[in-house]
Amino acid sequence: MINKRLKQLLAQIRQAEITYNRKPGDVLLLAVSKTKTAQDIAQAYSAGQRHFGENYCQEALKKQQELSAYDITWHFIGPIQSNKTKAIATHFNWVHSVDSFKIAKRLSEQRPSALPPLNICLQVNISGEQSKSGIVLNELAEMCVLIAALPNIKLRGVMAVPEPEDNFELQRKPFKALYQAVAKLGDFKLDTYSFGMSNDLNAAVAEGATIVRIGTALFGARE
Ligand SMILES: *Cc1c(COP(=O)(O)O)cnc(C)c1O
């Protein structure tokens, strides 16, 4: 089941790359495995998937232990509490959900020196909802200056989780706005747009996504 869905998803991504004039292979599939078991992850792994995303630190660490023999690149994509930064800085390769300088600084300070710099994205609250985490767009430039100066993290780009929207053109809008805002920044060598989920994957690829974060379409619905 997971095997078949993975093949379909990769085909959908490749097709979207063609349709929207993206370079073949530009878009990485991040398998979002929150609430799913280590066994589910192992199945996707057997089918070739290597990048997995988790939202909850405790849950992720447990699965990482079970899967320690696997060559997995782990991405943290959930809200970050200060008391979890050490575990996150130690056990993940990427963090997509950085939304304050304080958290970025802690991740930099707590990244073990034996490991390469932690890849991070700034989460931007692009649809301006009160409830969602993320910095607002007009904080982006200043945050990039501050965070790019931190030693043990590497600022790679931005993540957006827009308000759910069924209309394709409306789905594209927030991604486009954020992509354009990044293009106007100084030269921070950003190369990552962590943009789409199961329901807005095509819109995200159309507007420059380089990582799509897919849970439901790969692993099925969550409880
Ligand atoms: C759960 C989650 C996803 C995956 O969402 P699906 O709709 O299941 O594909 C992607 N990004 C973030 C930040 C999430 O929390």
Side-chain angles (χ1 to χ4, degrees):
M1 192 65 159
I2 289 174
N3 192 334
K4 191 171 156 229
R5 287 203 190 113
L6 180 62
K7 283 210 180 78
Q8 285 169 347
L9 265 171
L10 291 172
Q12 184 185 348
I13 291 168
R14 296 309 158 235
Q15 184 54 54
E17 286 172 345
I18 293 166
T19 306
Y20 301 106
N21 295 313
R22 302 288 310 277
K23 278 200 223 88
D26 240 12
V27 182
L28 177 82
L29 171 61
L30 176 61
V32 175
S33 43
K34 63 170 176 245
T35 80
K36 301 297 172 184
T37 63
Q39 226 178 340
D40 292 330
I41 294 174
Q43 267 187 49
Y45 186 95
S46 310
Q49 180 64 25
R50 291 294 178 271
H51 291 257
F52 292 87
E54 290 280 344
N55 291 60
Y56 312 106
C57 193
Q58 295 303 103
E59 181 195 329
L61 296 191
K62 226 171 126 245
K63 287 183 237 177
Q64 288 179 346
Q65 251 173 10
E66 289 178 64
L67 297 163
S68 59
Y70 291 66
D71 180 26
I72 290 176
T73 302
W74 292 100
H75 298 239
F76 191 83
I77 64 171
I80 305 169
Q81 295 160 282
S82 292
N83 63 354
K84 296 294 194 312
T85 49
K86 182 152 190 222
I88 293 170
T90 306
H91 296 286
F92 287 83
N93 309 92
W94 282 77
V95 181
H96 294 224
S97 43
V98 174
D99 66 354
S100 74
F101 179 66
K102 183 184 145 202
I103 292 292
K105 188 159 173 285
R106 287 177 70 92
L107 290 171
S108 176
E109 285 166 358
Q110 294 172 333
R111 179 70 168 170
S113 56
L115 297 178
L118 181 64
N119 296 296
I120 71 158
C121 292
L122 275 169
Q123 183 172 355
V124 182
N125 182 354
I126 193 72
S127 0
E129 295 153 283
Q130 298 292 322
S131 60
K132 287 269 172 67
S133 27
I135 63 166
V136 295
L137 204 47
N138 63 23
E139 294 174 311
L140 180 61
E142 191 191 343
M143 285 283 282
C144 285
V145 173
L146 290 172
I147 287 177
L150 293 170
N152 303 317
I153 60 180
K154 187 165 169 43
L155 180 61
R156 296 293 298 268
V158 290
M159 167 167 95
V161 187
E163 208 165 345
E165 191 56 76
D166 285 330
N167 179 281
F168 182 69
E169 291 307 320
L170 293 179
Q171 286 179 348
R172 289 179 69 154
K173 268 191 171 171
F175 296 136
K176 185 180 194 130
L178 182 51
Y179 192 93
Q180 288 176 341
V182 170
K184 282 191 212 124
L185 293 170
D187 187 14
F188 294 103
K189 299 197 163 58
L190 304 185
D191 60 7
T192 303
Y193 300 83
S194 172
F195 268 3
M197 316 205 300
S198 294
N199 282 327
D200 54 10
L201 190 166
N202 285 350
V205 174
E207 297 301 341
T210 60
I211 299 182
V212 290
R213 308 176 311 271
I214 309 295
T216 309
L218 177 60
F219 293 111
R222 292 178 291 271
E223 288 83 58

